[in-house]
Amino acid sequence: MVHDSPERYGVVTRLLHWSMAVLVLLQFAKFLERLEGEGGPVVAAIAGWHTSIGTLLLVLVVVRIAWAFMQRRRRPVNVPELAIFVAAGHVALYVALLALPILGLLIMFGGGYGHEAFGIGLFPPGEEVRWAQVWGSLHSPLAWLLLVAVVVHVLIALYHHLVRKDGVLRRML
């Protein structure tokens, strides 16, 4: 089933969800690098891909938002009394997932570093740009907020699966 249905998310939605989940978890390796210095060779190797993965996440989140918009009338329906909270939580996640790579690009641009993703130059090094540095400085605090939001998202999914036993988690598996 490619498209979403009222009973279950389709393969495209699930593929986007889980591939982005893995990539976001890899991005959190940067936290370990910052907290522990190098963080070990595995963390250092993953952290070295941080900007490339962030660029890929930017592309995927745009695709995911477009796909979700196209599927909006087919998607599983939430319990009416919780629907506003579910919608607000997902909007917050999408906003953070969209804003973080943009702010990361502003760090690169503002610092005059240039940007390369997976070996492809996207913009060359240049002069520092103060306004981009200022906006880019929001990247790290927003990343911490995303970490909290992801933990809450996972805990809510587990609550639905283990306590409510309402099939919410199964719709995305």
Side-chain angles (χ1 to χ4, degrees), residues 15-79:
L15 180 64
L16 287 168
H17 177 272
W18 292 109
S19 62
M20 289 180 65
V22 168
L23 292 173
V24 167
L25 287 175
L26 289 174
Q27 290 297 72
F28 288 146
K30 194 70 171 174
F31 288 140
L32 296 174
E33 179 192 54
R34 289 215 173 138
L35 292 174
E36 299 177 11
E38 286 293 312
V42 173
V43 170
I46 294 169
W49 286 91
H50 187 77
T51 57
S52 291
I53 292 171
T55 304
L56 177 57
L57 277 166
L58 178 58
V59 171
L60 289 176
V61 76
V62 169
V63 169
R64 187 164 179 196
I65 290 169
W67 180 255
F69 181 77
M70 291 186 312
Q71 299 298 303
R72 70 188 179 284
R73 299 202 198 295
R74 300 176 185 200
R75 302 193 119 188
V77 180
N78 296 303
V79 178

Side-chain angles (χ1 to χ4, degrees), residues 7-8 22 29 54 86 98 103 126 139 143 154 156:
E7 297 79 36
R8 183 175 170 85
V22 168
V86 172
L98 188 60
L103 293 172
H139 181 78
V154 169
I156 290 170

